[in-house]
Amino acid sequence: MESMEGFLYAQQDKELSLRTTYTPSFIGLRQRDGLWVDSFKGQGVIIGVIDSGIAPGHASFLESTVIGAVSFQSGKIGPPIDLKEEGHGMHCAGIAAGSMVPDANVRGIAKGIASGVAPRAHLAIYQSCTETLL
């Protein structure tokens, strides 16, 4: 942002932790009744995520939801690997179309079935930025 014309100053207020394991229920979708049950849960849809990439082999993406993935970092084309399994790209892709993962939790809290809103959708991952590892 600092390189954008007109940008003056920004200061990070505070760092927030990601704690949404079961996004569908968080927004009122239920597995046994209501709109989500009668939907196709994203089947036949491709969702493009332009972010910091994903961690290969993560349980949220094992059910072949990822149909394309590419990184455009440093002028090279390669896999969109997010070395932080808790990165922003992982979080956004998982919320959109993460597979249903039983017994999921975030550091021992928010236990339950983790799922994206459209777990049957396919993902096309584009890594356009990276996060600094702390």
Side-chain angles (χ1 to χ4, degrees):
M1 286 178 34
E2 291 176 342
S3 65
M4 294 174 62
E5 185 178 335
F7 178 82
L8 298 177
Y9 177 78
Q11 179 177 340
Q12 183 174 335
D13 187 30
K14 61 183 172 180
E15 189 170 323
L16 302 175
S17 300
L18 309 175
R19 298 182 188 215
T20 306
T21 301
Y22 26 80
T23 301
S25 63
F26 181 74
I27 61 173
L29 299 174
R30 291 179 289 285
Q31 290 189 34
R32 292 181 174 70
D33 61 1
L35 294 173
W36 208 36
V37 173
D38 297 330
S39 74
F40 293 106
K41 295 182 183 165
Q43 185 173 348
V45 173
I46 299 171
I47 299 172
V49 178
I50 303 170
D51 210 310
S52 63
I54 62 171
H58 191 278
S60 291
F61 310 110
L62 289 180
E63 292 188 18
S64 67
T65 60
V66 179
I67 60 169
V70 68
S71 173
F72 299 104
Q73 294 299 310
S74 304
K76 300 176 185 174
I77 297 176
I81 298 171
D82 185 347
L83 298 176
K84 291 173 63 176
E85 285 205 4
E86 302 166 0
H88 193 266
M90 287 285 299
H91 189 65
C92 291
I95 286 173
S99 302
M100 290 189 177
V101 179
D103 302 321
N105 69 81
V106 177
R107 297 185 182 120
I109 58 173
K111 296 179 180 179
I113 298 174
S115 172
V117 174
R120 293 184 182 159
H122 297 292
L123 285 165
I125 305 295
Y126 301 92
Q127 184 182 44
S128 62
C129 57
T130 58
E131 295 182 26
T132 303
L133 297 176
L134 300 176

